Amino acid sequence: MENLGVTADFWSGKRVFLTGHTGFKGSWLAVWLHKLGADVTGFSLEPNTQPNHFEALKLDSAITSILGDIRDLEHLRSSMVAANPDIVLHLAAQPLVRESFDNPIDTYATNVMGTANVLESVRDCPSVKSVVMITTDKVYENKEWEWGYREDDRLGGFDPYSNSKACSELVTASYTQSFFNSDDYGTHGVAIATARAGNVFGGGDWAKDRLIPDLVRAHAEKVAPVIRYPGAVRPWQHVLEPLSGYLALARALYEHGPRFNGAYNFGPRDTDAQTVKTICEIVTGILGDAQKWVLDDAVNPHEAGHLKLDISKAKARLGWEPKTNLDQGLTLAGEWYKNFAAGTDAMELTLRDIAAFEVLS
Ligand SMILES: NC(=O)c1ccc[n+]([C@@H]2O[C@H](COP(=O)([O-])OP(=O)(O)OC[C@H]3O[C@@H](n4cnc5c(N)ncnc54)[C@H](O)[C@@H]3O)[C@@H](O)[C@H]2O)c1
């Protein structure tokens, strides 16, 4: 199997166009790529939480940061052409289930047409060799199975967020077949894959309606956290886990072309798919909370009860597998938030976690 590790010998000097760099996962990825010596151009809306990881890191002084909307094809295309990237990583999205019930049209516009706009822009960028489109574990038609979904299971998505991401998978498949077909690779030179990760946590996420940010906010306000779906099982993972998968995949596409095209799951070890209640208890313990969580008895929108990912394909084809277990990941995250609240610099904390992750085997 090829060496697809996250190493500077591959990433140093690579020009990377990264959408969603002002968000939680995108900001971690931008720091990691910058540390590895890549030349990163980010394209996203302004951060939409206060505080946020992007500003806390002062990322706009480390990478080229463009504030723009992926629904604006001309701005996106001219920005990508100017960046002349080798690799495109598309993370920008409206990523929240509850928000998608309130604003379905905006969610579809960003997640579906935004995806088409990214791929349309790639058509005008002859420098691009490798494209990774980030979707989610929620793209599958949920059958409430106890076992993990595989990449060729049927797509679906109950809520507008999940469904818009399933639609974006179809957009990518169509663009790949129509404009970047592997039979014509010698002409266009572009390889494309999609990446589906689980429920991600780590320092620097302050999104609303996400479990760990909600627990951190409750801790800061010294109130009992309110939990919506205590029995729901999700594939929890530290943010660096799927990011290492995206980077391995981008490298595989760059170095080996369309034989790595397709969809890949990047989930945790099977035993780390745990209930919301379990996560809540571990995190409140790490934060040192005396408060017990309380159940939200409001009527909440539908969410799946059971969701796991089968990661055999990423293991077999990319040699990728999770490096941390749930306790290690949650400890990294909990310590990040505690140290940040105590005044430690965000960049120092983020680089410390990346360094700790890199030495794990
Ligand atoms: N966080 C998770 O648990 C999780 C799990 C699975 C998949 N994902 C996927 O990972 C990606 C990143 O998620 P995140 O958690 O970092 O979300 P986030 O909300 O923190 O970041 C979203 C990013 O997208 C940008 N964005 C949103 N709409 C845009 C638009 N119209 N034009 C340009 N930029 C726009 C935002 O500015 C931000 O930079 C998303 O594609 C999401 O669906 C996240």
Side-chain angles (χ1 to χ4, degrees):
M1 184 176 301
E2 293 80 10
N3 170 21
L4 300 172
V6 183
T7 50
D9 64 344
F10 174 77
W11 286 99
S12 180
K14 289 284 179 308
R15 292 182 308 275
V16 180
F17 191 85
L18 168 66
T19 71
H21 70 297
T22 59
F24 165 53
K25 285 164 76 173
S27 54
W28 275 87
L29 194 48
V31 174
W32 202 356
L33 286 166
H34 178 65
K35 173 180 181 286
L36 293 164
D39 175 0
V40 182
T41 299
F43 186 98
S44 317
L45 298 177
E46 283 185 41
N48 65 357
T49 63
Q50 204 51 254
N52 62 77
H53 197 215
F54 173 78
E55 287 173 344
L57 293 165
K58 303 180 190 70
L59 247 192
D60 56 350
S61 59
I63 67 164
T64 304
S65 172
I66 300 171
L67 294 181
D69 192 324
I70 57 170
R71 290 167 293 186
D72 178 350
L73 174 59
E74 287 321 314
H75 189 200
L76 177 62
R77 184 180 359 227
S78 59
S79 303
M80 196 188 287
V81 167
N84 200 32
D86 304 300
I87 293 169
V88 174
L89 304 172
H90 175 46
L91 280 79
Q94 190 305 93
L96 302 172
V97 172
R98 285 165 75 90
E99 172 70 19
S100 80
F101 280 107
D102 294 339
N103 287 306
I105 297 301
D106 285 347
T107 301
Y108 280 105
T110 291
N111 296 357
V112 184
M113 284 315 297
T115 295
N117 288 342
V118 168
L119 293 166
E120 189 61 24
S121 302
V122 171
R123 294 181 70 195
D124 283 328
C125 275
S127 57
V128 175
K129 290 188 67 177
S130 157
V131 180
V132 179
M133 309 293 283
I134 281 43
T135 67
T136 171
D137 55 351
K138 297 187 175 64
V139 293
Y140 297 106
E141 181 179 54
N142 194 286
K143 312 250 199 215
E144 298 294 343
W145 284 330
E146 307 252 320
W147 54 90
Y149 291 89
R150 287 199 173 158
E151 286 83 351
D152 53 3
D153 279 328
R154 194 166 153 153
L155 298 175
F158 182 108
D159 59 88
Y161 165 64
S162 308
N163 183 255
S164 68
K165 285 290 196 169
C167 293
S168 86
E169 291 272 352
L170 296 177
V171 171
T172 300
S174 168
Y175 260 81
T176 306
Q177 284 161 20
S178 304
F179 306 113
F180 306 107
N181 198 296
S182 55
D183 291 344
D184 309 321
Y185 181 66
T187 312
H188 57 73
V190 181
I192 302 180
T194 63
R196 305 165 180 171
N199 274 46
V200 178
F201 56 79
D205 190 9
W206 283 282
K208 65 174 181 174
D209 297 329
R210 273 194 190 149
L211 179 60
I212 283 136
D214 284 348
L215 296 174
V216 170
R217 275 186 287 267
H219 172 75
E221 290 161 18
K222 298 188 169 43
V223 296
V226 181
I227 299 305
R228 286 187 297 274
Y229 306 95
V233 174
R234 293 285 180 274
W236 304 97
Q237 54 190 168
H238 188 272
V239 62
L240 291 169
E241 298 285 6
L243 299 189
S244 67
Y246 304 163
L247 294 178
L249 183 53
R251 179 172 178 172
L253 295 165
Y254 184 93
E255 291 186 330
H256 306 287
R259 76 180 163 95
F260 283 92
N261 281 7
Y264 294 79
N265 288 340
F266 295 104
R269 297 170 193 174
D270 203 44
T271 46
D272 288 341
Q274 290 288 347
T275 62
V276 165
K277 176 171 172 284
T278 302
I279 302 302
C280 187
E281 283 165 358
I282 298 173
V283 174
T284 49
I286 292 168
L287 295 174
D289 274 337
Q291 314 275 2
K292 171 127 178 57
W293 59 273
V294 292
L295 183 65
D296 181 359
D297 50 12
V299 178
N300 284 302
H302 172 274
E303 286 208 19
H306 216 99
L307 183 49
K308 282 188 180 181
L309 290 174
D310 183 311
I311 56 173
S312 314
K313 182 178 174 184
K315 274 189 193 169
R317 305 233 29 224
L318 304 171
W320 175 90
E321 58 185 333
K323 288 180 166 187
T324 53
N325 62 30
L326 190 58
D327 281 330
Q328 287 170 307
L330 288 172
T331 302
L332 281 176
E335 293 300 323
W336 194 104
Y337 284 110
K338 275 191 348 196
N339 287 317
F340 182 75
T344 311
D345 177 60
M347 184 62 93
E348 184 185 327
L349 293 170
T350 299
L351 286 172
R352 195 190 294 172
D353 285 359
I354 291 172
F357 185 82
E358 282 178 331
V359 297
L360 296 172
S361 55

